[in-house]
Amino acid sequence: MGRLRRCGALCGSATKLRHCLRWNFGAFRSFTEDSLVGMRDVPTSLQKWLPKIASGDAIGTLALFEGKGNPSPKAVKVTANGGVLNGVKRPVADGAIADFAVVAARTGSSGRESDISLFIVDLKAGGVEVKSLTNIDLTRGQAEIAFKDAKAEPLGAPGEGWSVITQVLDRAAVLMAFEQVGGADRALEMGRDYALDRIAFGRPIGSFQAVKHMLADMYVSATLARSNCYYGAWALSTNAGELPEAAAAARISATQAFQHCAKNNIQVHGGMGFTWEFDCHMYYRRANAVALGLGSLSYWEDALIDRMRKKNAA
Amino acid sequence: MNFDDTPQEAAFRAEAKAWIAANAPKQYEDELRKASLGRVALKGANILEVAKAWQRKKADAGWACLHWPKEYGGRGASPIERVIWQQEEGPFGRLSSMFIIGHGMCGPTMMAFAGEEQKRKYLPPLASGEKIWCQLFSEPAGGSDVAGLRTRAEKHGDEWVINGQKIWTSGAHYSDYGILLTRTDPDVAKHKGLTMFFLDMKSPGVEVRPIKQASGASDFNEVYFTDVRIPDSQRLGNVNDGWNVSLTTLMNERMSIGAGVATGFPELLDFCNSLMLEDGPAIENRAVRSKLANWAVKASGLKYTSMRAISALSRGERPGPENSIGKLVAGSMIQDVATYALDLQGAAGALSGPEDAEVAGKFQAMLLRAPGTRVEGGTDEIMRNIIAERVLGLPGDIRVDKDVPFNKIPTKGRA
């Protein structure tokens, strides 16, 4: 499936709660695949995994974070020496169900980006300990993965890990942004439907301006985000030079829209929106979890301004 | 969304580009490019004369009112060609600001409701900028609730006699003609007793008084009518059907997409790129970057939303009410951007003289003009109603005056 169609599929499946599980794997698998398949030459370490990813027999994940903080080469402490990894990654999305992980590890100590390299680790092999972690989004698991002399195969050239990670994050940001826009749209639709059905003071609550203006503002956020995402999808599908800037814009806009719509959807629903019974909380949880998974807003805000400056300077 | 022209669109673009390059008043390009919000002023030249000359030149070569039929002074171009023209015209399009209401609202209303002879007489000089038109709808008692207007039109033989007052009339002080919405029957519900006319603004009994705005400038006017006589032949649409006629006018306003709305963001980004704070360049400050990024994605979101609308136009679709978001988002954004640009300067941000203020006082001017942007052409609240009702399908407001005869509607708040 082309990247553009995949954006549409992610967006569409995110709008349906019943597809939550598929949606769950969709984005993470997509961006793992995307980044791996996107490499110029498929390294031998990857060759055995690709057919299994395609057939659905294997699930991959990206092990990047090590506790608090946004993506940064300095934050990578897991070491790679003599073909084995040592250290702890957390949180790792889908880590508890993944069969293998692409791991960012430290192979140098110069203080530069070139200290970081990528490795593939079979998570079912020895020296790997996986523990599920509780997180705010109950439909997307997070895990801690501890490596103790775990066997690792290099992925790509040594020292090029961070530049690949940056590209993976940009590509993932566009794909995830479509999931976020789909979620925002669905939260808006739920709020709209409830405002039409719920009667208070003798009239549908959607006829009160305080409510309808809140919904109009949700529509505005979702629309701006969708437009930024389309531009991101265009940049992704054509490998345009604008991709880094377009990806950051799509990410920020879609994160804001999903958080805004999920939050106000609960408000429109009133007390019912705060019950376990109603689905509103699932969108609220997902909106806030997905806002963090690829680096939080402050990371992307910083990236966007950097990239706009670079473009202007060029 | 498609970022590329079709071959026909590309050919049209090339033709427009070449003609503009050969004919546009290049000496004003820089000043026009720098103008950001509110009225465009040119040093050492009368803006009205420059604008009229450019419009005349365009009309002579078939580049005025592109989407109008040729017999009325247009080019018979498609909506997408009109958008391409606007993109290519770029800063010179700012010279069209005094024609926007005539071309965008009065012209289409005349086209729909005037007689053939009248259309051939009035529309070509409107297209060429020789005559300027204004729109006389809003009143002190009818702003957002325009159907609450009170200007009376009474029939005397073949003429109508007009008495009353309009307000917020853009450009009335330099307009030659206007379209005028009046009350012809106060005994029926407010929407059912209105009638539309067009008139010569030089008619006896028309008095135009500029309004000094909160910003200090005067873009709008009060217009008083004292026993002004209009021949029945200048009535647009049926007697008491003026509300439907006005909907045609207002619907056309929304077709004016593609020209892009001012957000203030490019100016703020430039400013932050050059501004030094106590601890270094503003652009390297974390808090500044966060603010900038938030506005950047709004500005790009608006840009690509407008490109989506253009794509829809290119496919032959009609833009809908979803395009109301442009003004809604840009209006408060430009206000926030201006506020922040001043905040970054500390106490000195309050200085507004062109020689004392940063960027020649542009942000101070932006701040003072911005409240008007959020009110004119439909307030933020009306825009939200439009989105909520026409896009999301939420119920309309409960209108307590809907079925009440106009002259029984209360006119005082606190007694």
Side-chain angles (χ1 to χ4, degrees), chain B residues 402-413:
Chain B
K402 194 168 160 247
D403 300 314
V404 180
F406 176 73
N407 52 16
K408 299 281 188 292
I409 296 172
T411 54
K412 280 217 161 63

Side-chain angles (χ1 to χ4, degrees), chain A residues 6 24-39 46 49-50 53 58-63 92-94 98 100-103 118-120 155 164 168-169 171-173 175-176 294:
Chain A
R6 205 153 53 195
N24 187 5
F25 300 139
F28 273 91
R29 275 193 44 198
S30 274
F31 83 71
T32 319
E33 277 167 46
D34 200 74
S35 54
L36 300 182
V37 177
M39 300 181 89
L46 191 55
W49 292 108
L50 285 182
I53 299 176
I59 294 171
T61 188
L62 177 69
V92 180
D94 295 338
F100 73 97
V102 172
V103 184
L118 296 182
F119 296 87
I120 286 195
L155 178 63
V164 175
V168 169
L169 290 178
R171 286 161 182 274
L175 295 168
M176 296 285 279
L294 295 175

Side-chain angles (χ1 to χ4, degrees), chain A residues 209 212-213 227-228 256 302, chain B residues 289 294 300 305 389 397:
Chain A
Q209 286 195 350
K212 71 205 248 191
H213 287 187
S227 299
N228 278 312
Q256 291 174 337
D302 221 30
Chain B
R289 290 165 80 103
N294 281 287
S300 62
T305 299
E389 292 169 25
D397 281 8

